[in-house]
Amino acid sequence: SLGMRTSALVGWTLAGIGLFLVAAGTETRPDDASLASLLFDVASRPYLYGSPEETVATDVEVFPAATTTGSKPFFHVQPIRAVVSGQVVSGNMATLENPRNHFMILPPLGGCGHRVRTSDTAKAYGCRVAMNAGFFNTATGACLGNLISNGTILLNVSTPNSHFGLRADGNFVTGYLSLKDVQSKDHPILQLVQGVIWLVRKGEVYVHESAEREKPRPEFITLLAPRTAVGHDARGRLVVWQLNGLESADRGLGLVEWATLIRSLGAMNAVNLDGGGSDLFFALDTILNTCSDKCPSEHEDEHCPLTPGRCERAVTSIVCIH
């Protein structure tokens, strides 16, 4: 059974000055293989890459995004510390009170096909908070799955994987989308990213049901690794969650435990995003998570603040609070 105790630590807000970080020890370098390599046998299950022909039946949850007055983003960021099955885990989360005008899914600088550090894309677009988002081809830098940024459809394929996005009518949409859904003129989507595994649905852990539909390899579900997720809470606030870890040292969480943790932290609907060494949480010009990749010699002076000698990985799409 899953034993869990979650304590919300005092964090910092947009109006605050203090910054409280979770201490981290020295890391060892993980395997270079991305979590994406565990997803599918591409020859037999090319689902993550999608198909140009319709293969998906719509199955989504639609939920109104919260609104507040004022033109500036109102958000708060706090560290996470929890005990899950005897393991102490840490990470970060951000909650955005007014997501309708302050939440974006962004491609990397230069577009899909380029790999760029999350912090670099975030700085270029003026993101106050940013986190790595969609999965990508580690060899080519191609973004994988459906991707919409500020109403522009960047990628549109038929895929059985789960999605999270924001429609022009002010509703969040979470779940499985058809080609027509992505292209819809009746309910146009402003922001959309594809993940792998619908973690929490209507406030309940949904990992096993989602795995039956998405069919990743079993080890993708059980692997202990750094994790990221995006979703919303019962008040319609956008929430992003990030978990520290290290694949090669079996540090982090499997997806059932990850879903259970973010559910305890308020998730109503949430989708799992790219994790592992891609894991990156950036807020107010600071990297708040532990990093995994060893710094190349030319970038040794750019290491992550909590992990000297370890650097941020170049990825593709990001979640942005601006």
mmCIF file of all heavy atoms in Angstrom, residues 101-122:
data_model
loop_
_atom_site.group_PDB
_atom_site.id
_atom_site.type_symbol
_atom_site.label_atom_id
_atom_site.label_comp_id
_atom_site.label_asym_id
_atom_site.label_seq_id
_atom_site.Cartn_x
_atom_site.Cartn_y
_atom_site.Cartn_z
ATOM 1 N N ASN A 101 -5.391 34.595 -19.127
ATOM 2 C CA ASN A 101 -4.538 35.507 -19.897
ATOM 3 C C ASN A 101 -3.057 35.378 -19.559
ATOM 4 O O ASN A 101 -2.245 36.142 -20.085
ATOM 5 C CB ASN A 101 -4.974 36.959 -19.663
ATOM 6 C CG ASN A 101 -6.375 37.235 -20.154
ATOM 7 O OD1 ASN A 101 -6.742 36.833 -21.260
ATOM 8 N ND2 ASN A 101 -7.174 37.896 -19.339
ATOM 9 N N HIS A 102 -2.715 34.420 -18.713
ATOM 10 C CA HIS A 102 -1.333 34.376 -18.236
ATOM 11 C C HIS A 102 -0.703 32.986 -18.297
ATOM 12 O O HIS A 102 0.309 32.745 -17.651
ATOM 13 C CB HIS A 102 -1.268 34.928 -16.815
ATOM 14 C CG HIS A 102 -1.740 36.341 -16.714
ATOM 15 N ND1 HIS A 102 -1.004 37.408 -17.187
ATOM 16 C CD2 HIS A 102 -2.903 36.866 -16.242
ATOM 17 C CE1 HIS A 102 -1.674 38.527 -16.993
ATOM 18 N NE2 HIS A 102 -2.827 38.232 -16.421
ATOM 19 N N PHE A 103 -1.278 32.109 -19.065
ATOM 20 C CA PHE A 103 -0.764 30.744 -19.239
ATOM 21 C C PHE A 103 -0.518 30.501 -20.716
ATOM 22 O O PHE A 103 -1.382 30.769 -21.554
ATOM 23 C CB PHE A 103 -1.777 29.742 -18.674
ATOM 24 C CG PHE A 103 -1.683 28.351 -19.245
ATOM 25 C CD1 PHE A 103 -0.505 27.612 -19.164
ATOM 26 C CD2 PHE A 103 -2.792 27.761 -19.852
ATOM 27 C CE1 PHE A 103 -0.423 26.331 -19.693
ATOM 28 C CE2 PHE A 103 -2.732 26.478 -20.374
ATOM 29 C CZ PHE A 103 -1.541 25.762 -20.292
ATOM 30 N N MET A 104 0.682 30.017 -21.042
ATOM 31 C CA MET A 104 1.014 29.696 -22.428
ATOM 32 C C MET A 104 1.756 28.360 -22.496
ATOM 33 O O MET A 104 2.477 27.988 -21.567
ATOM 34 C CB MET A 104 1.918 30.762 -23.051
ATOM 35 C CG MET A 104 1.298 32.119 -23.236
ATOM 36 S SD MET A 104 2.346 33.233 -24.253
ATOM 37 C CE MET A 104 3.796 33.412 -23.207
ATOM 38 N N ILE A 105 1.569 27.670 -23.606
ATOM 39 C CA ILE A 105 2.451 26.574 -24.002
ATOM 40 C C ILE A 105 3.328 27.125 -25.120
ATOM 41 O O ILE A 105 2.818 27.662 -26.111
ATOM 42 C CB ILE A 105 1.657 25.350 -24.515
ATOM 43 C CG1 ILE A 105 0.745 24.807 -23.417
ATOM 44 C CG2 ILE A 105 2.621 24.284 -25.022
ATOM 45 C CD1 ILE A 105 1.467 24.248 -22.200
ATOM 46 N N LEU A 106 4.641 27.025 -24.958
ATOM 47 C CA LEU A 106 5.554 27.634 -25.919
ATOM 48 C C LEU A 106 6.456 26.594 -26.571
ATOM 49 O O LEU A 106 6.962 25.689 -25.893
ATOM 50 C CB LEU A 106 6.433 28.673 -25.217
ATOM 51 C CG LEU A 106 5.719 29.907 -24.665
ATOM 52 C CD1 LEU A 106 6.692 30.735 -23.841
ATOM 53 C CD2 LEU A 106 5.118 30.740 -25.799
ATOM 54 N N PRO A 107 6.688 26.729 -27.877
ATOM 55 C CA PRO A 107 7.692 25.891 -28.536
ATOM 56 C C PRO A 107 9.081 26.410 -28.164
ATOM 57 O O PRO A 107 9.216 27.512 -27.626
ATOM 58 C CB PRO A 107 7.406 26.115 -30.021
ATOM 59 C CG PRO A 107 6.900 27.530 -30.071
ATOM 60 C CD PRO A 107 6.092 27.718 -28.799
ATOM 61 N N PRO A 108 10.131 25.667 -28.460
ATOM 62 C CA PRO A 108 11.474 26.169 -28.181
ATOM 63 C C PRO A 108 11.820 27.331 -29.097
ATOM 64 O O PRO A 108 11.222 27.504 -30.165
ATOM 65 C CB PRO A 108 12.368 24.960 -28.474
ATOM 66 C CG PRO A 108 11.594 24.170 -29.489
ATOM 67 C CD PRO A 108 10.147 24.335 -29.094
ATOM 68 N N LEU A 109 12.769 28.137 -28.695
ATOM 69 C CA LEU A 109 13.251 29.195 -29.564
ATOM 70 C C LEU A 109 13.738 28.578 -30.867
ATOM 71 O O LEU A 109 14.486 27.606 -30.864
ATOM 72 C CB LEU A 109 14.391 29.955 -28.887
ATOM 73 C CG LEU A 109 14.020 30.772 -27.647
ATOM 74 C CD1 LEU A 109 15.283 31.325 -26.999
ATOM 75 C CD2 LEU A 109 13.048 31.882 -28.005
ATOM 76 N N GLY A 110 13.315 29.123 -31.980
ATOM 77 C CA GLY A 110 13.665 28.549 -33.273
ATOM 78 C C GLY A 110 12.667 27.537 -33.765
ATOM 79 O O GLY A 110 12.739 27.089 -34.908
ATOM 80 N N GLY A 111 11.706 27.145 -32.897
ATOM 81 C CA GLY A 111 10.666 26.209 -33.292
ATOM 82 C C GLY A 111 11.018 24.753 -33.024
ATOM 83 O O GLY A 111 12.150 24.418 -32.664
ATOM 84 N N CYS A 112 10.030 23.882 -33.193
ATOM 85 C CA CYS A 112 10.251 22.445 -33.010
ATOM 86 C C CYS A 112 11.315 21.976 -34.005
ATOM 87 O O CYS A 112 11.337 22.399 -35.156
ATOM 88 C CB CYS A 112 8.950 21.685 -33.213
ATOM 89 S SG CYS A 112 7.784 21.903 -31.858
ATOM 90 N N GLY A 113 12.179 21.124 -33.533
ATOM 91 C CA GLY A 113 13.357 20.740 -34.301
ATOM 92 C C GLY A 113 14.606 21.313 -33.662
ATOM 93 O O GLY A 113 15.726 20.931 -34.008
ATOM 94 N N HIS A 114 14.413 22.242 -32.733
ATOM 95 C CA HIS A 114 15.504 22.805 -31.963
ATOM 96 C C HIS A 114 15.354 22.400 -30.496
ATOM 97 O O HIS A 114 14.242 22.344 -29.983
ATOM 98 C CB HIS A 114 15.520 24.334 -32.057
ATOM 99 C CG HIS A 114 15.804 24.856 -33.428
ATOM 100 N ND1 HIS A 114 14.839 24.913 -34.411
ATOM 101 C CD2 HIS A 114 16.946 25.345 -33.977
ATOM 102 C CE1 HIS A 114 15.370 25.416 -35.513
ATOM 103 N NE2 HIS A 114 16.643 25.689 -35.282
ATOM 104 N N ARG A 115 16.464 22.143 -29.855
ATOM 105 C CA ARG A 115 16.453 21.876 -28.415
ATOM 106 C C ARG A 115 17.077 23.075 -27.711
ATOM 107 O O ARG A 115 18.197 23.479 -28.014
ATOM 108 C CB ARG A 115 17.202 20.585 -28.095
ATOM 109 C CG ARG A 115 16.483 19.340 -28.573
ATOM 110 C CD ARG A 115 17.258 18.084 -28.231
ATOM 111 N NE ARG A 115 17.501 17.968 -26.799
ATOM 112 C CZ ARG A 115 18.156 16.942 -26.238
ATOM 113 N NH1 ARG A 115 18.624 15.973 -27.005
ATOM 114 N NH2 ARG A 115 18.349 16.900 -24.931
ATOM 115 N N VAL A 116 16.324 23.633 -26.770
ATOM 116 C CA VAL A 116 16.727 24.850 -26.074
ATOM 117 C C VAL A 116 16.443 24.657 -24.594
ATOM 118 O O VAL A 116 15.455 24.016 -24.218
ATOM 119 C CB VAL A 116 15.936 26.073 -26.614
ATOM 120 C CG1 VAL A 116 16.360 27.349 -25.904
ATOM 121 C CG2 VAL A 116 16.114 26.206 -28.122
ATOM 122 N N ARG A 117 17.267 25.217 -23.744
ATOM 123 C CA ARG A 117 17.027 25.100 -22.311
ATOM 124 C C ARG A 117 15.736 25.825 -21.928
ATOM 125 O O ARG A 117 15.433 26.897 -22.452
ATOM 126 C CB ARG A 117 18.206 25.664 -21.527
ATOM 127 C CG ARG A 117 19.503 24.914 -21.752
ATOM 128 C CD ARG A 117 20.653 25.471 -20.923
ATOM 129 N NE ARG A 117 20.859 26.906 -21.144
ATOM 130 C CZ ARG A 117 21.815 27.603 -20.539
ATOM 131 N NH1 ARG A 117 22.635 27.012 -19.674
ATOM 132 N NH2 ARG A 117 21.940 28.899 -20.794
ATOM 133 N N THR A 118 15.003 25.223 -21.006
ATOM 134 C CA THR A 118 13.748 25.823 -20.535
ATOM 135 C C THR A 118 13.966 27.258 -20.081
ATOM 136 O O THR A 118 13.181 28.159 -20.407
ATOM 137 C CB THR A 118 13.164 24.986 -19.387
ATOM 138 O OG1 THR A 118 12.815 23.688 -19.874
ATOM 139 C CG2 THR A 118 11.925 25.641 -18.789
ATOM 140 N N SER A 119 15.017 27.497 -19.322
ATOM 141 C CA SER A 119 15.258 28.845 -18.799
ATOM 142 C C SER A 119 15.508 29.844 -19.918
ATOM 143 O O SER A 119 15.113 31.019 -19.806
ATOM 144 C CB SER A 119 16.430 28.831 -17.820
ATOM 145 O OG SER A 119 17.629 28.424 -18.459
ATOM 146 N N ASP A 120 16.134 29.433 -21.009
ATOM 147 C CA ASP A 120 16.400 30.343 -22.119
ATOM 148 C C ASP A 120 15.108 30.723 -22.846
ATOM 149 O O ASP A 120 14.891 31.892 -23.181
ATOM 150 C CB ASP A 120 17.391 29.726 -23.103
ATOM 151 C CG ASP A 120 18.799 29.634 -22.533
ATOM 152 O OD1 ASP A 120 19.125 30.428 -21.637
ATOM 153 O OD2 ASP A 120 19.568 28.758 -22.975
ATOM 154 N N THR A 121 14.261 29.739 -23.108
ATOM 155 C CA THR A 121 12.972 30.047 -23.734
ATOM 156 C C THR A 121 12.142 30.918 -22.809
ATOM 157 O O THR A 121 11.494 31.879 -23.243
ATOM 158 C CB THR A 121 12.213 28.753 -24.082
ATOM 159 O OG1 THR A 121 12.992 27.960 -24.979
ATOM 160 C CG2 THR A 121 10.867 29.058 -24.743
ATOM 161 N N ALA A 122 12.166 30.597 -21.508
ATOM 162 C CA ALA A 122 11.393 31.371 -20.533
ATOM 163 C C ALA A 122 11.831 32.833 -20.501
ATOM 164 O O ALA A 122 10.996 33.749 -20.487
ATOM 165 C CB ALA A 122 11.534 30.742 -19.153
#
